[in-house]
């Protein structure tokens, strides 16, 4: 059971308080009607299957109920850093710095 | 009492006699014994039969690695635990245990014939043999395998014990209370750090308990142990957990510990829990788990009386028990010599030390000579003879070209030592990497993945001195050098398969005792093309028994490596997984069993339903009244009566479980517009609308009636089971996609009790109780919502109907729910008010063609499939799922559409889930065109009704489809889903 730091509560809490919410940094298109079928399918269905750093969303379901983002290493299953929704996607260097 | 106790040997203890029973025979032991030590003290070596060949088996070890001495531990009805290792079972007055895997008796076991015909049972036997015909699996192969293969009969009664659990937190968790663990605990607890030290055994001390001669700092080691434990006990920051197995090591230093609390007690307090699960999150973990001695692989090495050398030493030095009168030793490692010397010093005759190595430390030879022990270097044991106990062994000298002719040596015990395997199980659970250390012939910890350190033998650091040093240093102790006297050499060689002069196809040299896997099986697997050790393991089942190969993995690996002619480190290592030793389901479940297995949500009206004799059903976590049978009624009779009464006069229904979400804020209507398919901007205050919610992929996710209580306030209802995911999806869009919208979402499911009244007399009943709301048809029409008072209590009153009748849903604060229900029920007697449950609710709604999300939809149904395009606000530019409704596959022809079905025989009620075909005469497999989603007897219509999802269903209106059922194919006609009152006139009864 991994530990996850909720960036809103600013506390490290056990995984059972959280629910995984899929890949991060996929924005809903502003005007879906202008998208071709392929573009819409890309948004709906196509997800990364990263080996290594993966940007993903979690929700602190049994806590503050906020959605936030995390960078997790899918090989070691370690959460490297968490950050608030809307904050820019951190670079690999920033993640390495935060994980120290 | 017995001839095998040695006075003056063993740990100091009160010699309190304890009586116990094994296989129905009474024996006496001494308090502090294990079942194994007590049996050995009574000269009992035969304790069980093996799993596959039913060969007689004895006691291999003195610890949790035991692979042979598995017994059924019987504490009374419902309290039989199978496959308990006799070596870990603490003796108490009245203990009862039985051997396993025999029929009809341990000494005369008919299934032992498996052994004689073992050529029929090679590796992969089951995979190769029980292949065809497929139908034989159910009634020939499986029953046969189950009967023949048993690991004892599974208990049939429920477990009467109870279990507890605790979350523990500490700076340092130490696993193993041998010398390394205790040294670590002493050092770590000098600061204020919270320290937990756990050991699977009843007594702390580990290997030290078997070493009475060792000395630390000039004093006997047992004295060092005593004072060390005294210090730890006196420190408030230290928790000592004996009889506690650390069975699993999970992410971020989270470990599972199972503590046995009452299994060692003669008469435990029945109120006390049997075991406790400690869930520990540790800042740092120190693994001091020691090492396990490895057996040697030679013909018939499984005979009772053949035992690990260090275990014989433990039985003598710790329990004061001699394992035999005349012991031979077969070793490839120095440590067995010390065992031989200890036994010899206790007047046990040592027949010979047979050492496979060419050169042996001269000091050991000298010590042996002093005691008159013959050492045969460069020799191997190639067989053991005896029926239920070893009588003599076959010994050959190793020559440049094979081995010499055999010579027989008499002995009643053979002690074996093939080196030592560090216990890296927990380290591997934590995903620490391993490296092969060829001088040890073992894998040792390499790079950690958590804040963890291995000390002592589990890190390949053998010997008491290294254990104490590495332990103290890991605990953060100053590097004070201890003066340590010990007489153990720690040099050895690893052989794997040993040379022999015998035909290897005719002998059984066991690698995995518990699963009866021999060296021959592993070689066969390699010959048949298995190259990875993970595949060899699964094909031969080596290491897959309940001991997980603690004594066998490395021998198996060596033999596979030799057979493949590849170095061990290239062959790999099988994966260690939790639990370290078998763990009871009871302790894992803890309090979550029986009535407390899961949460049961009850509405405020639930007590009334209980007193009215309701039959309940679970709906998500809720329990809901399903129907209210009167004397002599079954469900069908009760539902027919409830439906009729509701349609004719008045029914009352507890709808509290409906999910409820309040959507509030200046942008509430914009938010609703984006979340639901329907348009909300023009919905007037005081009005309701049926809302349909899609997922972004265009499929129906949820539905419910939404009331607008103010310009900026919506009272949203959801399905009973869908409430959490609807709120979660709303929150997701609000927080992450539209944070600019000024909206708050609040779950109000449990704030409001909901009483639904349906039937032509509904208004008449409530009118006298309602204040502040004009209930007339003009002022309060269908789909109106108002706030007011009922019986003087605030209410949100909705005029809605899920039955097609005049209907009201009365929301009242939850804690008034029961009172208002009772009041309305009493007043309703004049209208024959009839309580109804979910079953009647389902029938009433089906008669009207109202869908239930999750029953008539399955996550692949679009609004159009469900015939609900009318619920889509076509003028809206966007809402969740809108773009997907134009996806090519969703607009294509041939989708399954929801239709009504009327069976040709009006009395036949179709089975929900039944498959539908277009024509009955097809060859099997027939082409399925859909399935029945809802099906009921309609008392109102006097016939059966059903709904179904059928390919292009709406175009089939008036045509027949067929439902093949066992025995008959049922014909039904496709039609509208609305079976009753299609004009909706009954909603407007004045």
């Amino acid at each position: 059971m991994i530990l996850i730091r909720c960036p809103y509560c600013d506390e490290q809490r056990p995984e059972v308080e959280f629910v995984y919410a899929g890949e991060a940094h996929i924005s809903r298109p502003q005007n879906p009607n202008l998208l071709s079928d392929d573009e819409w399918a890309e948004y709906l269905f196509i997800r990364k299957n990263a080996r290594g750093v993966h940007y993903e969303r979690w929700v602190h379901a049994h806590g503050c109920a906020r959605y936030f983002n995390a960078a997790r290493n899918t090989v070691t299953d370690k959460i490297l850093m968490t950050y608030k929704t809307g904050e820019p996607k951190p670079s690999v260097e920033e993640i390495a710095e935060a994980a120290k | 009492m017995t001839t095998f106790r040695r006075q003056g040997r063993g740990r100091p203890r009160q010699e309190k006699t304890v009586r116990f029973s094994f296989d129905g025979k009474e024996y006496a032991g001494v308090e502090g014994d294990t079942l194994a030590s007590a049996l050995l003290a009574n000269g009992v070596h035969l304790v069980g039969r093996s799993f596959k060949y039913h060969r007689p088996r004895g006691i291999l070890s003195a610890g949790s690695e035991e692979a042979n001495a598995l017994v059924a531990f019987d504490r009374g009805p419902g309290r039989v635990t199978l496959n308990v290792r006799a070596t870990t079972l603490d003796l108490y007055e009245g203990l009862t245990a039985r051997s396993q895997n025999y029929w009809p008796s341990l000494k005369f076991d008919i299934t032992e014939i498996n052994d004689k015909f073992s050529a029929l049972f090679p590796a992969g036997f089951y995979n190769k043999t029980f292949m065809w015909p497929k139908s034989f699996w159910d009634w020939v192969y499986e029953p046969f395998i189950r009967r023949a293969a048993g690991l004892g009969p599974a208990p049939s009664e429920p477990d009467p014990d109870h279990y507890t659990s605790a979350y523990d937190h500490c700076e340092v968790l130490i696993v193993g209370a041998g010398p390394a663990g205790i040294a670590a605990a002493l050092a770590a607890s000098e600061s204020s750090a919270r320290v937990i030290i756990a050991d699977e055994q009843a007594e702390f001390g580990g290997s030290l308990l078997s070493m009475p001669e060792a000395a630390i700092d000039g004093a006997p080691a047992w004295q060092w142990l005593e004072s060390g434990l005294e210090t730890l006990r006196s420190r408030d920051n230290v928790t000592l957990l004996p009889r506690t197995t650390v069975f699993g090591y999970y992410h971020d230093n989270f470990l599972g510990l199972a503590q046995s609390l009452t299994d060692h007690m003669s008469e435990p307090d029945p109120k006390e829990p049997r075991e406790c699960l400690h869930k520990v999150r540790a800042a740092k973990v120190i693994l001091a788990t020691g090492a396990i001695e490895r057996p040697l692989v030679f013909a018939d090495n499984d005979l009772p009386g053949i035992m690990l050398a260090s275990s014989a030493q433990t039985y003598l030095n710790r329990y004061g028990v001699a394992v035999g009168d005349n012991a031979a030793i077969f070793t490839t490692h120095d440590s067995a010599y010390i065992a031989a010397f200890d036994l010899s010093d206790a007047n046990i005759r040592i027949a010979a030390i047979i050492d496979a190595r060419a050169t042996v430390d001269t000091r050991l030879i000298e010590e042996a000579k002093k005691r008159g022990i013959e050492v045969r270097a460069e020799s191997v044991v190639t067989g053991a003879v005896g029926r239920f106990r070893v009588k003599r062994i076959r010994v050959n000298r190793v020559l440049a070209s094979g081995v010499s002719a055999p010579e027989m040596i008499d002995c009643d015990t053979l002690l074996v030592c093939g080196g030592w395997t560090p216990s890296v199980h927990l380290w591997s659970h934590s995903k620490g990497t391993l490296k092969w250390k060829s001088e040890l012939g073992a894998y040792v910890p390499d790079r950690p993945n958590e804040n963890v350190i291995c000390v002592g033998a589990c890190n390949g650091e053998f010997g008491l001195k290294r254990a104490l040093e590495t332990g103290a240093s890991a605990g953060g102790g100053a590097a004070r050098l201890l003066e340590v006297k010990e007489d153990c050499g720690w040099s050895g060689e690893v052989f794997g398969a040993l040379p022999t002069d015998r035909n290897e196809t005719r002998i059984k040299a066991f690698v995995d005792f518990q699963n009866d896997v021999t060296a021959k099986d592993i070689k066969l697997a390699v010959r048949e093309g298995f190259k990875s050790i993970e595949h060899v393991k699964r094909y031969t089942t080596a290491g897959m028994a309940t001991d997980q190969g603690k004594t066998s993995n490395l021998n198996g690996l060596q033999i596979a490596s030799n057979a493949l002619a590849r170095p061990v480190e290239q062959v790999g290592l099988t994966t260690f997984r939790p639990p370290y030793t078998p763990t009871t389901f009871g302790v894992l479940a803890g309090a979550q069993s029986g009535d407390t297995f899961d949460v049961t949500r009850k509405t405020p009206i639930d007590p009334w339903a209980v007193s009215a004799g309701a039959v309940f059903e679970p709906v998500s976590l809720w329990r809901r009244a399903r129907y209210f049978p009167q004397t002599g009624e079954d469900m069908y009779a009760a539902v027919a009566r409830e439906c009729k009464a509701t349609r004719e006069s008045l029914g009352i229904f507890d709808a509290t479980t409906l999910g409820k979400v309040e959507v509030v804020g200046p942008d509430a209507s914009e938010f609703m517009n984006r979340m639901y398919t329907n348009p909300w901007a023009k919905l007037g205050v005081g009005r309701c609308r049926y809302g349909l919610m899609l997922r972004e992929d265009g499929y129906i996710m949820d539905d419910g009636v939404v009331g607008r209580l103010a310009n900026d306030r919506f009272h949203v209802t959801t399905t009973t089971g869908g409430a959490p995911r609807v709120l979660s999806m709303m929150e997701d869009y609000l927080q992450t996609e539209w944070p600019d919208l000024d909206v708050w979402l609040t779950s109000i499911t449990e704030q409001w009790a909901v009483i639904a009244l349906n039937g032509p007399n509904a208004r008449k009943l409530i009118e006298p109780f309602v204040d502040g709301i004009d209930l007339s048809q003009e002022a309060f029409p269908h789909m109106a919502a108002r706030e007011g008072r009922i019986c003087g209590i605030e209410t949100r009153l909705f005029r809605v109907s899920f039955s097609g009748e005049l209907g009201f849903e009365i929301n009242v604060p939850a804690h008034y729910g029961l009172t208002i229900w009772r009041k309305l029920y009493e007043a309703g007697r004049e209208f024959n008010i009839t309580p109804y449950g979910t079953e009647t609710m389902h029938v009433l709604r089906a008669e009207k063609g109202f869908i239930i999300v999750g029953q008539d939809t399955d996550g692949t149904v679009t609004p159009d499939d469900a015939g609900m395009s009318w619920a889509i606000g076509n003028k809206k530019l966007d809402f969740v799922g809108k773009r997907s409704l134009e996806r090519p596959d969703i607009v294509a022809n041939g989708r399954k559409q929801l239709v009504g079905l009327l069976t040709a025989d009006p009395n036949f009620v179709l089975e929900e889930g039944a498959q539908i075909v277009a024509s009955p005469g097809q060859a099997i497999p027939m082409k399925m065109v859909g399935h029945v989603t809802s099906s009921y007897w309609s008392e109102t219509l006097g016939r059966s009704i059903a709904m179904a999802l059928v390919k292009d269903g709406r175009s089939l209106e008036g045509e027949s489809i067929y439902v093949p059922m066992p025995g008959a194919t049922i014909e039904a006609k496709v039609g509208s889903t609305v079976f009753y009152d299609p004009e909706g006139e009954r909603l407007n009864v004045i």
Side-chain angles (χ1 to χ4, degrees), chain A residues 3 14-15 23 26 32 38 42 51 54 58 78 88-90 98:
Chain A
L3 292 171
E15 187 184 345
E23 190 180 333
I26 297 174
D38 284 348
E42 174 85 17
R51 188 177 197 280
H54 184 241
W58 288 79
K78 291 224 179 271
K89 184 175 177 173

Side-chain angles (χ1 to χ4, degrees), chain B residues 46 181 277 310 386 411 423 483 516 531 576 632 682 711 812 870:
Chain B
L46 172 67
L277 176 68
S310 67
C411 61
S423 293
E483 193 68 35
D516 269 354
K531 292 194 168 61
F576 295 104
K682 288 184 181 154
N711 241 332
V812 289
W870 52 265

Side-chain angles (χ1 to χ4, degrees), chain B residues 394-520:
Chain B
R394 200 173 180 274
V395 178
N396 308 52
R397 254 188 81 76
V398 180
L399 307 172
S401 55
V403 294
S404 73
E407 187 183 333
M408 304 306 286
I409 296 179
D410 286 346
C411 61
D412 65 2
T413 311
L414 176 62
L415 309 183
V416 293
C417 175
W420 292 81
T421 309
S423 293
V424 296
H425 311 75
L426 292 170
W427 169 269
S428 293
H429 294 178
S430 80
K431 300 277 189 288
T433 62
L434 297 168
K435 62 174 179 235
W436 177 251
K437 212 164 182 181
S438 52
E439 63 269 33
L440 294 178
Y443 282 100
V444 294
D446 190 14
R447 289 187 310 278
N449 185 46
E450 303 279 0
N451 189 5
V452 55
I453 184 164
C454 289
V455 297
C458 83
N459 200 37
E461 306 261 10
F462 288 103
L464 181 55
K465 190 173 168 62
R466 287 302 290 152
L468 294 169
E469 284 169 1
T470 56
S473 147
R480 186 173 73 86
L481 285 176
L482 292 160
E483 193 68 35
V484 174
K485 173 187 167 285
E486 57 180 321
D487 34 27
C488 192
W490 280 104
S491 162
E493 287 176 35
V494 171
F495 285 76
L498 293 158
T500 182
D501 57 338
R502 299 172 70 177
N503 179 346
E504 292 193 50
T505 62
R506 307 293 294 271
I507 59 170
K508 284 199 194 73
F510 286 91
V511 176
D512 182 329
F513 296 102
Q514 204 188 332
N515 260 356
D516 269 354
V517 180
T518 64
K520 190 165 56 184

Side-chain angles (χ1 to χ4, degrees), chain A residues 32-47:
Chain A
N33 299 320
L34 300 180
L35 266 53
S36 70
D37 286 335
D38 284 348
E39 287 166 334
W40 182 246
E42 174 85 17
Y43 160 72
L44 267 188
F45 302 122
I46 305 303
R47 296 294 180 269

Side-chain angles (χ1 to χ4, degrees), chain B residues 187-338:
Chain B
S189 61
E190 270 172 26
S191 68
S192 60
R194 290 167 298 174
V195 174
I196 296 174
I197 177 166
D199 194 286
E200 59 183 1
Q201 299 199 19
E203 192 177 6
F204 274 18
S207 62
L208 266 189
L209 299 172
S210 307
M211 299 167 67
E213 305 292 329
I216 300 169
D217 273 353
W222 283 3
Q223 202 173 308
W224 177 88
L225 174 63
E226 209 47 58
S227 74
L229 291 176
E230 200 50 52
T231 305
L232 291 177
R233 280 187 211 106
S234 70
R235 289 180 179 166
D236 291 339
N237 56 333
V238 180
T239 306
L240 295 93
L241 295 176
R243 294 192 176 91
T244 304
T245 301
V246 181
F247 62 80
Y249 193 144
Y250 309 94
H251 287 294
D252 286 333
N253 272 1
F254 187 68
L255 293 93
L257 285 60
Q259 182 179 24
S260 171
L261 297 172
T262 60
D263 269 8
H264 61 287
M265 293 177 180
S266 186
E267 284 172 352
D269 181 345
K271 290 200 284 291
E272 291 297 315
R274 180 185 174 209
E275 292 175 41
C276 178
L277 176 68
H278 295 266
K279 293 173 262 192
V280 179
R281 186 78 71 172
K284 175 180 177 176
V285 175
I286 298 176
L287 295 177
T289 47
I292 292 171
E293 198 172 12
R294 221 177 288 173
L296 288 165
V297 182
F298 56 90
D300 301 323
N301 57 341
D302 61 329
L303 256 184
I306 300 178
M307 179 185 287
L308 296 172
S310 67
S311 300
Q313 212 176 352
T314 292
Y315 286 118
L316 179 66
N317 292 332
R318 184 167 168 188
Y319 300 102
V321 173
V323 295
D325 292 321
N326 182 20
I329 285 94
F330 180 26
T331 187
T332 65
H333 193 277
D334 291 350
S335 66
Y337 284 77
I338 313 305

Side-chain angles (χ1 to χ4, degrees), chain A residues 6 11 16 21 34-35 63 66 68 71 73-74 76 79 90 92 99:
Chain A
C6 170
E11 272 194 50
V16 287
L34 300 180
L35 266 53
R66 300 296 292 270
F68 61 89
N73 186 325
T74 59
T76 62
I79 297 226
V92 175

